[in-house]
Amino acid sequence: MFGYEPLIFWGWTFLVLYIGLMLTFGFVGMRRVEGSDDFATARGSYGPLFLAFAMTATTASGATFLGLPGLAYKSGMSVLWYAFVYPLGVYSGVLICLHAIRRAGDSFGSRSMPEYLGDRFDSDALRIIAALFSMALLFYLAGQLLAGAVMFTSMLGLDTFPALCVTATVLMIYIALGGAHADILTDGVQGALMLALAALVLWMFLTGFGLEGGFSGMLDQLEGIDPDLTQTLHPTHPLFDSKWDIFAIFASHLPLGLLPHIGNKLWALKNNRDQVKFISYSFAFGMLLPAITCGGILARVLLGDSLFAEGMNPNQAIPELFIATLPSWAAALIGAGVLAAVMSTADGLVVSTAQIFANDIYRRSIAPRLGEGKDDKHVDRVALMISRIATVIVLVGAVALAWNTREKNVALLVWIGIGGMMAASASPMFLGVLWRRATRAGSITGFIVGGVAFSLLHSASIKAEWFIGGALEVPGVWIASQASNPFACATLGAFASITAMIVVSLMTEPPSDEHLKRVFGT
């Protein structure tokens, strides 16, 4: 590492400029907020290209820009499966559901994905269950704050806790001001910056930047460090050692684009005619962004095993790569791009989590029971106030959680939160779009079964010794062995969720034709 003091100077310079820009967007967003619906969804406000930048930025997150390079630094080329397969899953899921969710969401006026599920199946119980289960996304938010702290620690010389507080404070101010508008405006700009950064890292990787022999020389040196680092499938890593693992990465990410902090952007698209353009742009951008993972492989060759030393962390692979290879001002400027990746997901998470309190609990559950539902303007004012207060509370809770999990890999930390949510939501989300026979009871059963199945699997509550010597020994031992792989646990949980929903739906009364017309149209 060199030029550390100039790096801190340039880091603070670009940070001040970055914060100023984000706060400006917060005030612009505040002027566009006309009520709690605007705060929650920015419904029908943005064109396909800008919204695709925002969507891609939100989907990528700090896990893509720090966690994945950290995994690549440790495990080598096999991690590229994760990097380029997960966007295939994400945008395939969005493509399947985009039109139906926009149509039904606009028909019912849904402001959150839990509210959409409740409206789709005419079930307050499902809405509340989905909203409460969404609180697990605090782990996802904590992962983003932790990624932001890594950048502040590397580039600004801050300790971890002050770095967490700085990240959370910036988010709190501009989201409390502008809500979904601030989220989308900032994410659109951040997405363009992140794409440029990913292209730069891909170029550095393909040219073997800073190494003799270029790309082939880098591979030779990587093999010299550990031959397993150059294998297509890593023989000992539980996440990348089989074709099943690669399939699990794809399948487990199918619902990711429909999680609350991403799915709410589907309603911000201005015109239904632009849906194909929107998903095409998003897919192209989404396939480029994970190229940042290649930087972790290059960092392993350039930096050796230095990030395994005490006080260091493989999550720092990207900032340390820039510090080692670029002038201080350039490293600090690119560091701001990585920080953009962190903020772009975190702000969407804050907005969607705040809506659990403002929309799913207050507007749809408490206000009608207090007799306030008849005064729409009063309910809207209160919901907007709750949204802004909840923003502060959510961020304080996420900072505490991030501090207590600061030693975990960022990419794996976020999966504690999103794995269960994706396993639970897979059946009501996809069957709700594709199968008219899906019922209220089936959706609730599928949601609960998926969430519980993921929790039992990933917590290693299912023991291999239960099955040894019995008829189910082979499948039972294999299922128990998947505990350390969150993608496999989410995929198995989704299969359980879908199976349970189909069985219960076939055993219960189908929804009325009137309700189906409102959901699917004529």
Side-chain angles (χ1 to χ4, degrees):
M1 189 184 303
F2 61 88
Y4 191 66
E5 290 184 2
L7 176 70
I8 293 177
F9 167 77
W10 285 110
W12 279 106
T13 300
F14 289 125
L15 175 65
V16 171
L17 293 174
Y18 176 82
I19 290 176
L21 182 63
M22 295 303 101
L23 294 180
T24 298
F25 282 127
F27 281 104
V28 172
M30 182 175 67
R31 296 181 64 179
R32 296 187 178 187
V33 173
E34 298 180 358
S36 59
D37 184 67
D38 257 346
F39 190 95
T41 66
R43 196 183 306 277
S45 299
Y46 297 93
L49 180 61
F50 191 83
L51 192 62
F53 279 126
M55 177 85 166
T56 310
T58 305
T59 304
S61 85
T64 300
F65 274 63
L66 293 176
L68 280 180
L71 285 174
Y73 179 89
K74 294 172 64 176
S75 304
M77 301 292 287
S78 60
V79 180
L80 295 181
W81 282 111
Y82 182 2
F84 294 105
V85 167
Y86 95 76
L88 287 174
V90 171
Y91 293 105
S92 295
V94 173
L95 181 61
I96 292 169
C97 298
L98 171 62
H99 181 65
I101 287 177
R102 275 184 55 81
R103 179 175 54 202
D106 289 343
S107 173
F108 291 104
S110 305
R111 300 182 182 183
S112 68
M113 296 311 286
E115 184 178 9
Y116 161 75
L117 289 175
D119 290 336
R120 162 61 184 90
F121 293 101
D122 193 22
S123 172
D124 286 340
L126 179 60
R127 173 175 50 79
I128 293 172
I129 292 170
L132 293 176
F133 204 79
S134 296
M135 292 301 294
L137 293 177
L138 277 176
F139 281 98
Y140 198 176
L141 179 55
Q144 306 315 306
L145 296 182
L146 188 59
V150 169
M151 291 307 304
F152 283 131
T153 299
S154 298
M155 297 293 185
L156 305 179
L158 291 175
D159 292 332
T160 301
F161 186 73
L164 283 171
C165 293
V166 170
T167 308
T169 300
V170 175
L171 279 169
M172 178 177 63
I173 293 174
Y174 77 75
I175 290 300
L177 289 173
H181 280 288
D183 170 23
I184 293 171
L185 287 168
T186 54
D187 286 2
V189 175
Q190 289 164 342
L193 179 60
M194 290 156 60
L195 284 166
L197 178 58
L200 172 63
V201 170
L202 181 61
W203 172 79
M204 293 173 68
F205 174 75
L206 294 176
T207 59
F209 187 78
L211 297 170
E212 293 186 9
F215 181 76
S216 60
M218 179 191 68
L219 292 181
D220 291 340
Q221 292 186 52
L222 192 66
E223 187 171 15
I225 296 172
D226 182 352
D228 288 345
L229 296 177
T230 59
Q231 298 298 309
T232 304
L233 293 173
H234 197 289
T236 61
H237 199 292
L239 301 184
F240 315 111
D241 64 355
S242 69
K243 293 179 181 179
W244 155 254
D245 292 331
I246 308 309
F247 171 76
I249 290 171
F250 172 80
S252 63
H253 281 84
L254 283 170
L256 178 63
L258 307 172
L259 290 185
H261 68 293
I262 304 175
N264 62 357
K265 289 181 173 58
L266 302 183
W267 294 313
L269 185 63
K270 188 176 294 184
N271 196 315
N272 282 332
R273 293 193 301 270
D274 290 330
Q275 291 183 49
V276 174
K277 288 183 180 179
F278 167 67
I279 197 64
S280 299
Y281 293 148
S282 297
F283 180 80
F285 297 159
M287 290 303 296
L288 174 59
L289 273 181
I292 197 76
T293 307
C294 299
I297 299 171
L298 180 60
R300 182 62 185 272
V301 177
L302 281 169
L303 305 176
D305 293 341
S306 61
L307 298 187
F308 294 128
E310 186 175 353
M312 302 296 288
N313 192 305
N315 285 334
Q316 296 171 286
I318 288 297
E320 293 299 329
L321 173 66
F322 294 150
I323 291 170
T325 58
L326 298 174
S328 297
W329 68 268
L333 178 60
I334 293 173
V338 180
L339 183 61
V342 174
M343 296 294 198
S344 63
T345 296
D347 52 19
L349 283 164
V350 173
V351 170
S352 63
T353 307
Q355 291 314 300
I356 294 172
F357 301 98
N359 184 68
D360 301 311
I361 294 178
Y362 169 71
R363 188 178 73 88
R364 291 297 303 269
S365 299
I366 295 177
R369 288 166 174 77
L370 294 178
E372 297 178 353
K374 297 178 182 179
D375 187 350
D376 291 340
K377 290 185 178 180
H378 171 75
V379 170
D380 195 69
R381 285 195 302 270
V382 174
L384 183 58
M385 179 184 66
I386 292 174
S387 296
R388 287 175 165 145
I389 294 172
T391 296
V392 178
I393 296 173
V394 166
L395 279 166
V396 170
V399 167
L401 187 58
W403 174 252
N404 287 301
T405 55
R406 60 190 179 277
E407 298 302 323
K408 289 188 68 70
N409 177 273
V410 174
L412 299 183
L413 174 61
V414 302
W415 267 84
I416 296 175
I418 65 176
M421 189 64 189
M422 291 204 286
S425 62
S427 61
M429 195 66 72
F430 289 108
L431 293 180
V433 166
L434 300 173
W435 192 35
R436 290 172 176 257
R437 183 63 176 77
T439 68
R440 178 189 307 165
S443 67
I444 294 172
T445 304
F447 192 97
I448 294 173
V449 167
V452 171
F454 174 85
S455 300
L456 292 175
L457 289 165
H458 197 39
S459 64
S461 298
I462 297 175
K463 307 297 183 183
E465 53 265 28
W466 295 352
F467 306 96
I468 293 176
L472 299 177
E473 178 174 350
V474 173
V477 171
W478 178 80
I479 288 173
S481 72
Q482 301 301 304
S484 62
N485 186 335
F487 314 120
C489 294
T491 300
L492 293 171
F495 286 159
S497 172
I498 291 170
T499 301
M501 182 169 173
I502 291 174
V503 170
V504 174
S505 291
L506 292 174
M507 296 171 60
T508 51
E509 185 177 349
S512 67
D513 290 339
E514 182 181 352
H515 181 72
L516 290 176
K517 285 181 180 179
R518 193 171 181 193
V519 172
F520 292 100
T522 54

